[in-house]
Amino acid sequence: MTAVVLATACAMVYGTADFLGGMATRRSRVLAVVVLSQITGLAVAVVLLPILPGTPAPVTLAWGAASGLCGAAAVVLFYRALATGVMSVVAPITATVSAVLPVLFGLAVGERPEPMALVGVVLALLAVLLVSRDSSGGGSGGGYGPILASLAAGAGFGGFFILLAQAPAEGGAWPLVGARLASVTLIALLALTTGRTLRPGPGTLRVIIAAGVLDMVANVLFMLAQQRGLLSLVGVLVSLYPASTLLLARQVLGERLNTVQTVGIGFTLAAVALIASG
């Protein structure tokens, strides 16, 4: 039950961080938002070191760095897919792949959730697919390129969860430090080589900082959840984060949910209940 609570809270915090990051990208360059939020996350991870003490062993930092590189590459691919494709195609592909991979990995390494929990996993995967749908776009949007980028982005996000879960529990917050050091370095180098500015747009710095803080808090919740539960269950619960992003958009921006997304929200609640009961 503790793992379910932590994973559900993680999804809510991830969704809030994504909402704030999306708001910031309306007035700032994407790479600027990503780099500055990641630097903020790195600072938070350093602050957490005395609270979540551990040993910075090479294997701990290596797993963290691998997850960070995977996550950073996923962000770049995801935004590239959004720029060249249709959100109603890109978002559900990315979200679904990122949810499926931890489940498959967990089952492959011998995890065996209870039958009711497995039903919840199926509902959760459907929920991820439905809440990520967007009725604003149309057409195929750029052929196979955006679809391939979406698949790769989803694999990157799923890989982030899987790789971070491999870091030893005794590492404390050090895997997150390694992850952020690697991701900040990769995105900063990408920005420098492409000549993109890292200066935030007017009035966006506080929003970017808040997104970075919440993203790191979500990472901590995920790490704690997977240490206490099955990755095949924790990973799919965490991947329900688009639901909280949608609800925030509705409350803050007045955006309306379409019928498919509303059904997905219902599936989300049912999935959490079933996984908790299993």
Side-chain angles (χ1 to χ4, degrees), residues 101 159 254:
L101 284 184

Side-chain angles (χ1 to χ4, degrees), residues 19 23 247-255:
F19 174 77
M23 293 289 291
L247 292 175
L248 277 172
R250 184 178 186 278
Q251 294 296 321
V252 178
L253 302 178
E255 295 184 3

Side-chain angles (χ1 to χ4, degrees), residues 136-151:
S136 63
S140 59
Y144 292 108
I147 294 177
L148 293 175
S150 302
L151 290 169

